[in-house]
Amino acid sequence: MGTKQTMSHNVGQGEEVQKHKKLRGGKVRDANALPPKKSVTIAYILWLVGGLFGLHHLYLHRDRHAFIWWCTLGGYMGIGWLSEIFMIPQYVRDANEDPVFVQQYVAKLQLYARPPYAAKRFLGQIMIGYLFGQLLASAIPPNPLFGLDMSFLHWLIPVGVSLGVWLVGNVGRECGVWWHSLLAALAAYPMRYLIYDETYSLLLTALVSAWAFDVLSKQWRRTPPARRGAAERTLKFTGALCIYFSIWGCVVFFNGTITDEDGGEVPLHEALHNFLASAWWTDLKQALLDTYNYAQHHGWYETWREVFESMDVDGERNAYKVLGVSATASQSEITAAYRKLSKENHPDKVKDEALRAQAHQRFIDIQQAYSVLSKIKSSRRRKNKQFNEDDAPIVI
């Protein structure tokens, strides 16, 4: 009877253990297992070689922090990156869930019901919120697009501001919901109609949004963040970067200009439209189409061989053209053409100083063309001689 109870107890205990395990990536892992230990040395190396892009934060699973560094090139041109030189050991202890760090963190939870005010974080929320808002404001087309007035998109600006504030507020061991900062940004944004300077109105929106997050949303992150897999983290991080840089693409497209030959500035979107309607682009498009059709009939290998030969990487075709001889010309014909052209185009024969530079360049081209063809002819003779010697019959 006691044996049956013991076996039953062991089975029940095994079931309890299984309840504390979860399947992730096809592997059973203990839910209470500590994450792989991170190295302070590796973190400092990544900080040094790629800190401006947050490589050390990616290594320490601080993806939001890394994304902010991508958006600001290391915290506004490296200022934040330099300030982290003494913070990396603490970041590593946080990532490793070091017992001393956890004990200190628990002491903070007991001392403060909510995270206390931190000027550095609050200023970061305002700066990133302002950056995102300004970026969205610049990405809105200033003129009608496809006959549609896109000015209504300016209501996305407070959304961008609140996202920037929320992103900074959720870095590390602090967190908070988004909608508090969003509602505050939407409430403060109409001040743009009273404050005509967009810089000040946008700054006020970011300030109010950060204040709302700090007062209403901010709280301690009482449980460690979930350890996502590499594929999931890469997908989310890459997706966020694609969205961010696509907005930058809109900014450049709608606001960028190109200086023409007369010194005038042409909007980039107009320049691109004119380029797509130009004869050069039409000819290039037709050439690509002809190449594709040729490849369909002759195969891609033959097409690549034809393209490679037409590139004239060794300069042979151009050399024949400069010397005015055919591709079947012998070495003696090439030498005769070279001597004739060298005498006719010698710079000493040109009396006009304005034409002397042009004649000198022509003389150099002739010299180079003769050198190219002589090397090619000599190389081919050596190869043919070696081929003939290898294929010569053996006399016994």
Side-chain angles (χ1 to χ4, degrees), residues 107-116 220 222:
K108 289 182 180 180
L109 295 180
Q110 295 173 347
L111 185 61
Y112 303 103
R114 301 177 66 253
W220 294 112
R222 296 183 178 274

Side-chain angles (χ1 to χ4, degrees), residues 221-257:
R221 193 184 300 275
R222 296 183 178 274
T223 59
R227 296 284 172 172
R228 309 294 181 183
E232 182 180 354
R233 292 178 59 211
T234 302
L235 181 61
K236 290 183 177 180
F237 192 81
T238 305
L241 285 180
C242 288
I243 295 174
Y244 179 76
F245 287 118
S246 64
I247 296 175
W248 263 112
C250 293
V251 173
V252 175
F253 181 76
F254 292 117
N255 297 279
T257 58

Side-chain angles (χ1 to χ4, degrees), residues 129-396:
Y130 179 87
L131 171 65
F132 284 9
Q134 183 64 46
L135 187 62
L136 284 173
S138 302
I140 299 174
N143 300 315
L145 186 64
F146 303 114
L148 180 64
D149 185 9
M150 309 296 287
S151 60
F152 68 93
L153 292 176
H154 73 87
W155 284 104
L156 291 176
I157 295 175
V159 177
V161 171
S162 62
L163 280 174
V165 170
W166 173 85
L167 182 64
V168 177
N170 279 265
V171 169
R173 292 280 178 165
E174 297 183 15
C175 63
V177 296
W178 173 44
W179 63 273
H180 284 141
S181 56
L182 174 61
L183 292 179
L186 289 171
Y189 182 66
M191 292 298 295
R192 68 192 294 264
Y193 299 107
L194 300 177
I195 304 175
Y196 294 103
D197 192 325
E198 184 181 355
T199 301
Y200 293 111
S201 62
L202 191 58
L203 184 61
L204 178 62
T205 303
L207 177 62
V208 173
S209 180
W211 173 84
F213 186 92
D214 197 71
V215 173
L216 302 175
S217 295
K218 187 170 66 171
Q219 58 184 338
W220 294 112
R221 193 184 300 275
R222 296 183 178 274
T223 59
R227 296 284 172 172
R228 309 294 181 183
E232 182 180 354
R233 292 178 59 211
T234 302
L235 181 61
K236 290 183 177 180
F237 192 81
T238 305
L241 285 180
C242 288
I243 295 174
Y244 179 76
F245 287 118
S246 64
I247 296 175
W248 263 112
C250 293
V251 173
V252 175
F253 181 76
F254 292 117
N255 297 279
T257 58
I258 296 178
T259 304
D260 58 17
E261 57 184 8
D262 298 326
E265 292 187 348
V266 181
L268 184 60
H269 61 275
E270 292 185 9
L272 182 60
H273 178 269
N274 296 333
F275 168 74
L276 295 177
S278 65
W280 186 89
W281 172 251
T282 304
D283 294 342
L284 177 61
K285 187 167 58 174
Q286 185 61 42
L288 294 175
L289 180 61
D290 293 341
T291 302
Y292 176 78
N293 293 331
Y294 183 87
Q296 293 298 308
H297 291 85
H298 299 86
W300 286 103
Y301 177 80
E302 180 65 21
T303 303
W304 170 248
R305 190 181 65 83
E306 292 286 342
V307 171
F308 187 78
E309 290 181 357
S310 65
M311 291 170 63
D312 194 26
V313 292
D314 56 3
E316 182 178 7
R317 294 188 179 184
N318 183 64
Y320 284 127
K321 182 179 179 180
V322 171
L323 296 180
V325 296
S326 65
T328 59
S330 62
Q331 183 62 43
S332 59
E333 292 174 335
I334 293 173
T335 303
Y338 160 70
R339 289 175 178 174
K340 179 182 177 181
L341 292 175
S342 295
K343 292 179 181 179
E344 293 177 354
N345 295 273
H346 200 282
D348 294 340
K349 292 185 177 182
V350 180
K351 304 301 181 182
D352 191 351
E353 292 293 336
L355 301 176
R356 186 179 294 274
Q358 183 179 357
H360 181 71
Q361 183 60 45
R362 169 67 175 165
F363 185 76
I364 292 176
D365 292 341
I366 294 170
Q367 300 282 336
Q368 291 178 346
Y370 177 71
S371 176
V372 168
L373 292 180
S374 297
K375 290 180 180 179
I376 292 175
K377 292 286 184 179
S378 176
S379 176
R380 287 175 181 171
R381 282 197 301 269
R382 288 196 302 269
K383 289 182 179 180
N384 291 334
K385 182 179 179 181
Q386 182 180 0
F387 177 79
N388 293 332
E389 289 178 353
D390 292 341
D391 290 350
I394 300 176
V395 179
I396 301 177

